[in-house]
Amino acid sequence: MGRFVTVKRYAELSGYSEEAIRQKIKKGVWRLTQHVRKAPDGRLMINVEEIEKWIESYPEA
């Protein structure tokens, strides 16, 4: 798996729905340029490494 994947591919890998991913982006939970990038063609690309850091930054429940 590469560093960047499409929203659709990340949904398949993570179990988050595409809508849940888009809501995290819209609400600013996942930040543009850090967690998400826009490709030159305008497509949103998820930075898998940064999302993993985000997940690991929260203590276990």
Side-chain angles (χ1 to χ4, degrees):
M1 172 175 48
R3 179 174 167 199
F4 291 97
V5 296
T6 63
V7 170
K8 181 177 182 175
R9 180 70 176 133
Y10 194 72
E12 293 168 357
L13 294 169
S14 68
Y16 283 117
S17 69
E18 289 184 46
E19 181 59 27
I21 293 167
R22 292 180 191 285
Q23 284 299 314
K24 287 184 183 321
I25 297 165
K26 182 178 179 182
K27 292 178 180 180
V29 176
W30 291 353
R31 297 184 193 133
L32 285 174
T33 71
Q34 180 180 1
H35 302 104
V36 182
R37 295 271 174 104
K38 265 196 178 176
D41 64 0
R43 212 166 175 189
L44 291 176
M45 302 298 290
I46 306 298
N47 184 331
V48 176
E49 292 174 5
E50 288 297 322
I51 297 297
E52 287 175 352
K53 288 179 190 176
W54 173 79
I55 293 167
E56 291 171 352
S57 72
Y58 286 87
E60 292 186 34

